[in-house]
Amino acid sequence: MAGHSKWANIQHRKGRQDKLRSKLFSKLAKEITVAAKMGDPDPEKNPRLRLAVKEAKSKSVPKDVIDRAIKKSQGGDAENYDEIRYEGYGPNGIALVVEAMTDNRNRTASNVRSYFTKAGGDLGQTGSVSFMFDRVGEIMYPLSAGDADTVMLAALEAGADDVQSDEEGHWIYCADTALNDVAVALEASLGESETAKLIWKPQAPTEVTDAETAAKLMKLIDALEDDDDVQNVTGNFDLSDEVAAQM
């Protein structure tokens, strides 16, 4: 799940230890290629590409992989990808938003529907659950960037809407259309952020207190994220302290 929650923190730790780093690198490289193909291949002149490169660097993607992904966008053999959003309900009615990038819509739709069905969920129409989320920019800074008051002041001056600080770091939220401008303004006052990306932020997350439900959700999310066409999966849930500890 993208977004600041216990689940996001669990995913962050899992990500660092993930044995399937090549799959993660491939998805990040795909986003870089698409961003570069849609705009200027220079990250300084292409906000989407700049953010994609920043996200890749935050996940330790090697520079040569990033450079190859940008060069690939300028070649005549670069694949044409469609960006598609799927929406549905997982176990216990938990809403999920699935973002995909595919060169074969039929294949991706069939796979995503199959994952939901096997998990006892239901794939809905576009718009069926996204109204429960806000599309926002999320910028993350480590605790070393400053205390909560310092970061809050810098964020508000940069045009951000909200800041959440905890033992993991500082999470700054802004309008989706303002992400690049806010990120650039924050770099002038706080230095470079760890990540800056667009997310689907749940408006009112449902707390999952049942380990069985959590396990089913994790299985569904793992299946979705393991699909080469799926870029991001977001759910409107949070795990209780007890369940998070078990996970």
Side-chain angles (χ1 to χ4, degrees), residues 164-176:
Q164 296 177 16
S165 298
D166 61 17
E167 69 278 2
E168 297 280 341
H170 307 286
W171 311 78
I172 301 166
Y173 298 99
C174 64
D176 57 345

Side-chain angles (χ1 to χ4, degrees), residues 78-126:
E79 296 95 335
N80 290 314
Y81 292 108
D82 291 326
E83 296 180 87
I84 311 171
R85 185 176 81 242
Y86 300 97
E87 303 177 26
Y89 292 93
N92 278 33
I94 298 295
L96 295 173
V97 175
V98 181
E99 295 171 280
M101 206 175 277
T102 180
D103 57 358
N104 187 323
R105 284 173 172 261
N106 291 334
R107 176 192 67 219
T108 308
S110 176
N111 288 344
V112 171
R113 185 177 300 279
S114 174
Y115 302 141
F116 272 87
T117 300
K118 289 179 180 177
D122 181 38
L123 186 62
Q125 299 296 318
T126 300

Side-chain angles (χ1 to χ4, degrees), residues 35-232:
K37 190 173 184 178
M38 291 177 64
D40 195 290
D42 181 355
E44 295 305 315
K45 299 177 183 178
N46 183 336
R48 176 171 174 176
L49 177 58
R50 178 178 178 273
L51 293 171
V53 169
K54 174 186 280 289
E55 183 66 13
K57 288 181 177 179
S58 76
K59 297 297 190 295
S60 302
V61 176
K63 185 177 184 300
D64 64 316
V65 173
I66 294 174
D67 291 342
R68 279 202 306 271
I70 294 176
K71 289 180 181 177
K72 183 178 180 181
S73 72
Q74 305 306 298
D77 58 343
E79 296 95 335
N80 290 314
Y81 292 108
D82 291 326
E83 296 180 87
I84 311 171
R85 185 176 81 242
Y86 300 97
E87 303 177 26
Y89 292 93
N92 278 33
I94 298 295
L96 295 173
V97 175
V98 181
E99 295 171 280
M101 206 175 277
T102 180
D103 57 358
N104 187 323
R105 284 173 172 261
N106 291 334
R107 176 192 67 219
T108 308
S110 176
N111 288 344
V112 171
R113 185 177 300 279
S114 174
Y115 302 141
F116 272 87
T117 300
K118 289 179 180 177
D122 181 38
L123 186 62
Q125 299 296 318
T126 300
S128 59
V129 305
S130 56
F131 67 91
M132 303 180 196
F133 301 78
D134 293 319
R135 186 63 164 168
V136 300
E138 180 188 72
I139 304 166
M140 188 271 180
Y141 275 91
L143 293 175
S144 59
D147 59 33
D149 290 340
T150 298
V151 173
M152 173 69 79
L153 181 60
L156 294 178
E157 290 180 344
D161 300 321
D162 187 29
V163 180
Q164 296 177 16
S165 298
D166 61 17
E167 69 278 2
E168 297 280 341
H170 307 286
W171 311 78
I172 301 166
Y173 298 99
C174 64
D176 57 345
T177 55
L179 176 57
N180 185 64
D181 291 342
V182 173
V184 170
L186 282 170
E187 285 184 9
S189 56
L190 298 177
E192 189 169 354
S193 63
E194 286 199 1
T195 65
K197 57 188 176 182
L198 291 172
I199 66 165
W200 291 94
K201 190 171 185 287
Q203 296 168 357
T206 299
E207 186 173 45
V208 176
T209 58
D210 176 59
E212 183 178 352
T213 297
K216 289 180 180 178
L217 269 172
M218 297 307 105
K219 186 175 182 179
L220 170 56
I221 291 173
D222 283 345
L224 287 164
E225 291 185 335
D226 195 46
D227 191 293
D228 290 338
D229 295 333
V230 174
Q231 293 291 102
N232 299 294

